[in-house]
Amino acid sequence: MYINEKLMIALRNHMADDFLKENKQEGYFREQELAKIKLPTGKIVANDPLVLGEMEAFTIRVPSGEYPVVLYIYHNNDDQRVAFAEMRLNEKIPVRFEPALVEGQEAEALEEDEFFGYGVDTGTGCFMDEQTCKKLEALMDTTEYGELTEFDKLLEESYVDTYMTANFVLPETDFNVVAFSSGYGDGCYPSFWGYDASGELCCLITDFCVIDMDDNE
C-alpha cells in the first residue's frame, strides 16, 4: 500500500481530520473546488506548467469532457498548503489507488518507498489535456523567455498565505490549465488513480508530500 493511500481515501470520505488525530498528526484539511478542467482528448498531463519539464500524458485515458479539480488544503497553525490536488471523474468513493504512469514506467520496478512523479521547479503543479500542453508549449515558444504574463498574473492575484491557484485559458481557445502551488515548493510529486469498489476509475490525485505518514499507520 502506498504510504498515503489511507489518507487519500479518508479525504474523499470526509474523515481526514479524524485520520490525522488517530495518527498523532496536527492540523486539519479544507476542501477547495478550484475549476473544471477541459479534456478534449481525455489524455491527462500533470506537470509544472511554467517550465513544462514533463509533457507526456498518463497511459490511462479518460472519457473526453469537463471534470472538477479539487484541492485539499492542509492547515497547521498559521500555515496552509496544497497537500493534494484531485481531478474528480465522478462522485464515487475510491477504495484503492494505483500509480499514474507515463509510457515506459513500470510500477513493478519501484521499491517499497519509491514512486514516479513529475518535477516542479517553480513551486507550481497542474492538470491539463495533452492537446492543451502542446498548445501551451507553442505559446511559450512565442515569448522571449517562455514567460506568460497573464498566467503569472492570475497566480499572483490569487495568492493567500501560503499558496496560489489559477485557471488559465489559453488566448483565443477553450483550452485551460488548472494550476496550483505544490505543497512546500519544488520537488518531485507522484500522482495516483483512484478506483471505486466496483473497480472503476473515479479520480486522479497528486500528492505533494506535505503529510508524511509512516508504514505503521
Side-chain angles (χ1 to χ4, degrees):
M1 176 178 287
Y2 171 65
I3 198 167
N4 272 347
E5 184 174 25
K6 291 181 181 178
L7 175 54
M8 291 192 293
I9 292 172
L11 286 168
R12 282 297 304 273
N13 281 282
H14 305 291
M15 297 176 63
D17 292 349
D18 292 336
F19 184 83
L20 290 177
K21 291 177 183 177
E22 290 171 4
N23 288 276
K24 298 180 174 58
Q25 296 277 341
E26 297 181 352
Y28 66 93
F29 284 98
R30 174 174 56 85
E31 190 173 315
Q32 176 183 340
E33 184 166 332
L34 181 51
K36 286 189 175 180
I37 186 76
K38 295 183 179 180
L39 300 179
T41 71
K43 296 180 180 180
I44 303 167
V45 175
N47 62 11
D48 182 333
L50 302 181
V51 295
L52 295 182
E54 286 88 4
M55 295 182 61
E56 289 188 78
F58 294 125
T59 54
I60 292 178
R61 184 175 183 171
V62 304
S64 301
E66 296 185 10
Y67 300 96
V69 174
V70 178
L71 305 180
Y72 296 96
I73 312 299
Y74 174 64
H75 291 252
N76 188 11
N77 296 319
D78 294 329
D79 192 67
Q80 54 182 342
R81 301 281 170 170
V82 179
F84 299 89
E86 175 190 11
M87 182 181 295
R88 190 167 293 177
L89 304 178
N90 55 55
E91 291 304 316
K92 294 183 178 180
I93 303 299
V95 298
R96 65 179 178 88
F97 284 87
E98 297 291 340
L101 306 175
V102 300
E103 194 68 36
Q105 294 177 340
E106 297 289 342
E108 293 77 11
L110 296 171
E111 298 294 334
E112 184 176 356
D113 295 328
E114 293 180 333
F115 57 77
F116 291 113
Y118 68 83
V120 169
D121 294 314
T122 68
T124 309
C126 80
F127 293 124
M128 62 178 140
D129 188 85
E130 181 184 56
Q131 192 170 355
T132 304
C133 190
K134 292 176 181 178
K135 289 184 177 294
L136 180 63
E137 180 188 35
L139 179 61
M140 293 172 74
D141 285 344
T142 65
T143 68
E144 185 174 0
Y145 299 107
E147 297 178 352
L148 298 175
T149 304
E150 186 59 34
F151 200 163
D152 292 337
K153 182 180 178 182
L154 287 174
L155 288 167
E156 291 170 2
E157 289 177 346
S158 74
Y159 179 77
V160 292
D161 192 17
T162 49
Y163 72 98
M164 298 182 289
T165 63
N167 178 25
F168 176 63
V169 180
L170 276 64
E172 301 179 0
T173 76
D174 291 328
F175 298 100
N176 69 323
V177 180
V178 180
F180 28 78
S181 294
S182 54
Y184 290 112
D186 297 349
C188 182
Y189 301 109
S191 299
F192 301 89
W193 294 109
Y195 293 83
D196 65 23
S198 66
E200 298 296 322
L201 278 175
C202 59
C203 65
L204 173 68
I205 294 183
T206 299
D207 179 0
F208 289 114
C209 304
V210 169
I211 308 296
D212 184 18
M213 296 294 181
D214 61 41
D215 292 328
N216 296 318
E217 295 170 0

